[in-house]
Amino acid sequence: MRDPVISRDSELGRSEVKTTTCYMCACRCGIRVHVRDGEVRYIEGNPDHPLNQGVICAKGASGIMKQYSPARLTQPLKRKEGAERGTNAFEAISWDETFQILEERLGNIRATDPKKLALFTGRDQMQALTGMFAKQFGTPNYAAHGGFCSVNMAAGMIYTIGGSFWEFGGPDLDRAKLFVMIGTAEDHHSNPMKIALGTFKRGGGRFIAINPVRTGYAAIADEWVPIRPGTDGALLLALIHEIIEMGMFDREFLIQYTNAAELVNLDEKSDTFGLFVRDPDVPVRPDTFDTPDRLWWDRHSDAPVVSRTGDTEGRLMGEFTLPDGTPVKPSFQLLKDRVKDFSPDWAEGITGIPAATIKRLAHEMGVTARDQKIELPIAWTDCWGKDHDTVVGNPVAFHAMRGLAAHSNGFHAIRSLSILMTILGTIDRPGGFRHKAPFPRPIPPCPKPPKGVHAIKPNTPLEGTPLGWPADPDELSVDANGTPLRIDKAFSWEFPLSVHGLMHNVITNAWRGDPYPIDTLFLFMANMAWNSTMNTVEVRKMLVDKDENGDYKIPFIVVADAFQSETVAFADLVLPDTSYLERHDVMSILDRPISEFDGPIDSVRVPILPPLGDSKPFQEVLIELGSRLKLPAFVHKDGSRKFRDYPDFIVNFETDAGSGIGFLAGWRGKSGEKFMVGEPNPSQWEMYARNNNHFHYELPRSYQYMRNWNKGYLTWAQRHRLVRYTDAINIHLYSEVLQKFRLAAEGKWQGKQPPEHLRERVRTFFDPLPFYYPPLEWRQTDASRYPLSALTQRPMAMYHSWDSQNAWLRQIHTHNVLFVHPSVGAENCFKDGGWVWVESPWGKVRCIARYSEAVEPGTVWTWNAIGKASGAWGLDNDADEAKKGFLLNHLISEELPCMVGGRTVSNSDPVTGQAAWYDVRVRVTACTEDEPAESWPQFPSLPDVPGQTGFKHRVQAFFAGKHKG
Amino acid sequence: MRPAFSVLFLTTLIGAGQGLLVALVAGQWYFVIGAGPAAESGRFYALGVVAALAFLGLGLFASFFHLAKPQRAWRTISQWRTSWLSREVILLPAVVGLAMIYGGVHFLEWKPVLLTFTNQKSLDLSMALGFLVAGAALLLFVATGMIYACVRFMPQWSSAWTVVNYTLTGLSSGFIAATAFATWAKSPLAGFFAAAALVLTLTALVGKAVHLWRNGRIKPTSSMRTAIGVNHRNIRQMTQGFMGHSFNTREFFHPGSPEAVKGVVALGLAFGFAIPAGLVVAAWVVGEWQIAVAAVAIQYAGLLAERWAFFAQGHHVQNLYYQTRG
Amino acid sequence: MNDKQYALVIDLNVCVGCHACVTSCKEWNTSGFAGPLPDTNPYGAEPSGVFFNRVQTFECGTFPATETIHFPKSCLHCEEPPCVPVCPTGASYKREADGIVLVDTDKCVGCKYCSWSCPYGVREFDEVMGVMKKCTLCVDRIYDLSLPPERRKPACVLACPSGARIFGDIKDPTSAASVAIFESSGYQLMPEWGTSPSNHYLPRRKAKILLHEDELVRADNALKIEADLAKPAFSAPSIDDMSSW
Ligand SMILES: Nc1nc2c(c(=O)[nH]1)N[C@H]1C(S)=C(S)[C@@H](COP(=O)(O)OP(=O)(O)OC[C@H]3O[C@@H](n4cnc5c(=O)[nH]c(N)nc54)[C@H](O)[C@@H]3O)O[C@H]1N2
Ligand SMILES: Nc1nc2c(c(=O)[nH]1)N[C@H]1C(S)=C(S)[C@@H](COP(=O)(O)OP(=O)(O)OC[C@H]3O[C@@H](n4cnc5c(=O)[nH]c(N)nc54)[C@H](O)[C@@H]3O)O[C@H]1N2
Ligand code: SF4
Ligand code: SF4
Ligand code: SF4
Ligand code: SF4
Ligand code: SF4
Ligand SMILES: [Mo]
């Protein structure tokens, strides 16, 4: 008998263990890859990595099957002469030819009209590089997935507290006592969130989940609060209402650290109506973004005083008149007035949550925050020079993601959440919300989008950054007529604060030539012909649509992908990327690093295996292209190539000559003695590799909290060039930025003004205080015809479309079904497991329905991106993903007709341009007996492409390395 | 439970073989005790044994299809202390071996008397061997039956009735085969076999009916509550953890609908018992061997159906965990 | 009965159903002692595969009082394993040293009989090799002295992000596994069969907050400080206007 105990892994062949960073999702855990005789044998979490501390997830542990996926692309491909787009008819070409084609085409565009190149990337982790490439190229038409992902979360929170959930900050579950999770199924912090939740629950913490659906995280919640989709704004306002009414807000925190006590000009005739009143005698340094000249109404002297001076104490409530007769109120009073009518009873009617529950939730939050205070013996000094002996925390933590974000009223709902967190006094404090470097940022952050046509010039880098943070109407990307500069109309009057762009409208706009036609659509890591597009059926038609001359309306499409996705079929040129185990990569501080609460962390990926076939890291492609196109950052003054390859680029690139700032923050300086700022270090990669592929700077304890107002931290951050300013980042309970746009809409702004047809829209939605409105799409939808909300959720074991090619993961989610409450089935005469039609005003799909009691009865939902086009992803034509699985995207429109003055606008949040995925309303009806048991729509099966690995066997028995014998 | 055809053939074929052996021995004993008119020839028994061996051989052959690694079949005898399967594997060759000796002794007409009783009847070697053969065959019935009866987690099988049924159906099919054989051979035993076959078949039918009735009244020992240990009245599985298939969804589930299974049960009862019983009577009365052979053939088909249904109606406890593909 | 019994304790209170344990198990074992773990139709219709560990999901109750329960399950390494004595070859056995129930794939004839004698549906037949396989409790990891001591644990345990899987000797009252069973009312699946599974499950436990009326409006209520609680003006009439005492 074989003795299992001595059958030791390390003796079964030549084994090595190498470390790198996972990329089965955007969480970026540290992994240890065991390779046996050149094959991947085992991928485990790296116990010495700060992010995942040794654990791994279902996807990460299935990396082997991604490495050996039949969908891998291995050769550059050119659409066959005469073949139609969308048919996967390609010929393999060399990289030389590929670069020639690109160099010529892009060179021409750059020399004539750089904005005719639209570079859009999906779930990538190198936006700092792709964005820099676009800027250097000179096109404003660049964005990543943020616009269709969760820009509401970023904008709503960053414009309020200077930081956000997503990859920028999170709940401190180590210290929290009460944790409220809203609209989150999985999110980017996959493993860390699970580690934290496990610890939190085992420590006896109370966990409340607010979600129309109870799966995953919500399953282990101590209380599930089912809410009607799109109504969280109402719930949050009612919670604020109750907390204010009960006097359970953190008064000291609000006065000192937010603009709650600052006085707002209420003189309607004034040009500064709705802005804070300022004392002109207070000196304002020019390098200040948060000016110290605002006024308080002092409680002791009962008179206006300059805020945060001497022994004054601002009033939060009341109504006052300044000596010059100006009526003013503290902004908190305005908030109080605003929420006066938003009572729990009011919210019950909207959200479906009983008023008593809403009240109790508010009380739980208020009492926990107030009575379970944490006081850490950490001394720190605030921005006004006051020393504190302790750091105080109110241990109520929140987390929210796309359940709030992916609605057209998400921005204001998220503002409401930020304000709720603020009045509970939980910002960057123990047990509450904590920032992660490089956050907090000034409100709004400094980068600005191009402000006019002058910013775009042939053969010249773009002025400004393609994406940025407008602080007022003058910082919009519009021309003199108010027409958008960008193909996706980001930073236009339609979506002024669309800080991540609107990728979901690029194809439609480019096809229509609105605001102008483009030449080349360059997609990297984005499956825009399938799961990341809205209105998929029509968008696929646009990609192949031709003009009167028989030319494609979108003349040239380049797709950089590692796998045979649905989008590859629509490319004219395909650039095969490597797998994550085959390339160098950087998770940079310039982008969204993996920082922890205690300080900045950035990390790298290093190759474990050689690239498969002729695949090439996209990073290398960009360096090569940048050099060939002679983009200034990639060439010397004489036009000669500056960087040998991507690793060389990472080491030697500096944001400005001699700036000492580059993509990696760790081990800078000649011999790695510096960090954040320092000369290039030729051994930087090795130093990262030796430190488990990351650099972690742990801030001194006194810099770890209250960073918006922490003088020590802000000075440190400024010295290390994380920020330009050391001003306090006071919380915008009341948003002056929004009010400025409203003033413009009202004609009271000196600078840019919205076109007439958009004035009312801007005026309505740029409310300096949060309010609730039903999602915009509902205005146009007949609720009696389409009574149900349709949602998707992230499955924990799948990343978007990536994993149906994965032999192990696809067995967990081979196809998707529509989960419905049994009452929906009863009303519409279908049974559990029956085939149904799901129709929205925009389209319909046929799929299988399954009964569930864990869903709010007015909601139906499915797992995201499981459905596939037949033949894509290296799957058999009859794979379940294509024949039973379906895509909800067919039901979602990228545009809403007749929204603004009879015109069509994007189906997005009117403030941020966030794609409103979860606003769609549907009805579900039974299929008839004679209909085929197959999902609909179906598309012609795609053949394999040349060079596609297609390792396929009826039986696959993976055993790495030496075969058993 | 998914009916494995190898097992259906195995159990029905060896059952018939064992039954036939028992019938032959009973027939011989019938003469020995003087109940029959005249003795049969050694060749008759030898031929009968050959027929029985054919059944057993075919069964054994089928059984190899059940083992994924038949080349290791020899290993299966090692656990006779605890495993009924092991015991079956030991008994089956024992029966075959004993039957061969028994047949051989008859063929050689080698009948040394071992014992003479006071009533002048004697026990010769062949008869003694016959008892051994019959005893072994009966033990084998028990072993085969116990393989199923001791699967505690299959309440439909886990009953003495399973052993009773395996034994009675085996005997019934063996005696009907014997009837056919005797009728064809124009043996005087034909009537004895037919009568016994009739009695056994009807008894088997009753036994089967009782078993079915019992199975209809089973109260499950386990429930979702105990399966996942959550004390709730209303528990539903949303997903079994995978959407395709696995061994556990193939082995323990059958493809047919409940109606189809009921139909097969009825077929099994009719073809396995009722019709053969009638045909045996007919064959007996008419004396045409073809009728008896038809009885054998029809019963065999019926028993395959009966055994298929026996599997298909088995609801394994593990199925609690595999209720929803999703 | 063994003096030592290794087992898993699974905490349903924190299991979020992420399937990390499922694929980590597959990954470790497919190239390990029990490997390979084959997949049939891996890229086609109705794929099928050998996995030693599955995570199932159950719903209890009706809306809105619904509980969703993620329920991981692998071989429970029963103390009285019914799958062992029925095996005709002795391929199925329970290790004396630590109570782990294993299949010796060199002996197994693939009769599948042991799987019929497991009420938990955790044995997995490998059609390619024609032998029975099952969770090995990662016996080829836990004794591997070439691994650092803290990594000598089953792959599924190391993977589990929420810490819902505890590995240990349930006969040792001081082990983390025993303590968890004892402190959090660990229970066995289908105890009615007398199989005495070694793996235990920890039930859902609910954290609640008890609120008292008097905590809602405390003396130092912020509204009072803001003087927002109705307070009459100084000059409003009072008894001082009239009284004589
Ligand atoms: N495993 C895995 N992890 C991923 C991804 C993946 O594909 N797979 N994708 C990554 C990406 S790109 C992103 S953006 C993040 C997103 O992470 P999540 O924000 O967790 O993404 P969703 O799955 O969209 O989850 C939305 C949740 O909100 C709920 N919801 C929908 N509408 C409402 C509402 O109106 N109110 C409330 N309260 N809840 C609502 C849904 O039921 C769902 O539970 O995940 C990242 N992480
Ligand atoms: N209905 C519905 N639709 C949604 C969402 C939803 O919740 N519901 N969520 C939206 C959100 S938040 C997001 S972020 C998007 C995501 O949408 P996308 O980012 O467009 O889509 P993905 O499926 O992540 O995959 C994009 C491409 O990346 C490729 N890829 C994977 N690995 C590599 C690699 O190493 N190199 C290269 N070059 N390519 C690689 C894949 O093959 C795939 O073709 O989906 C959006 N779509
Ligand atoms: S969470 Fe994402 S990065 Fe981490 S192991 Fe899983 S797939 Fe990899
Ligand atoms: S769980 Fe099943 S396979 Fe595991 S020891 Fe118990 S009976 Fe045997
Ligand atoms: S399948 Fe293998 S382990 Fe199971 S009972 Fe048969 S021989 Fe034993
Ligand atoms: S102990 Fe090992 S074999 Fe068993 S389920 Fe966990 S990983 Fe799989
Ligand atoms: S890894 Fe842990 S949390 Fe995830 S399903 Fe398995 S036991 Fe549950
Ligand atoms: Mo996203």
Side-chain angles (χ1 to χ4, degrees), chain A residues 123 145 149 188 402 794 800:
Chain A
R123 262 293 7 169
H145 62 280
C149 180
H188 298 85
R402 296 187 65 254
R794 303 279 182 274
H800 298 288

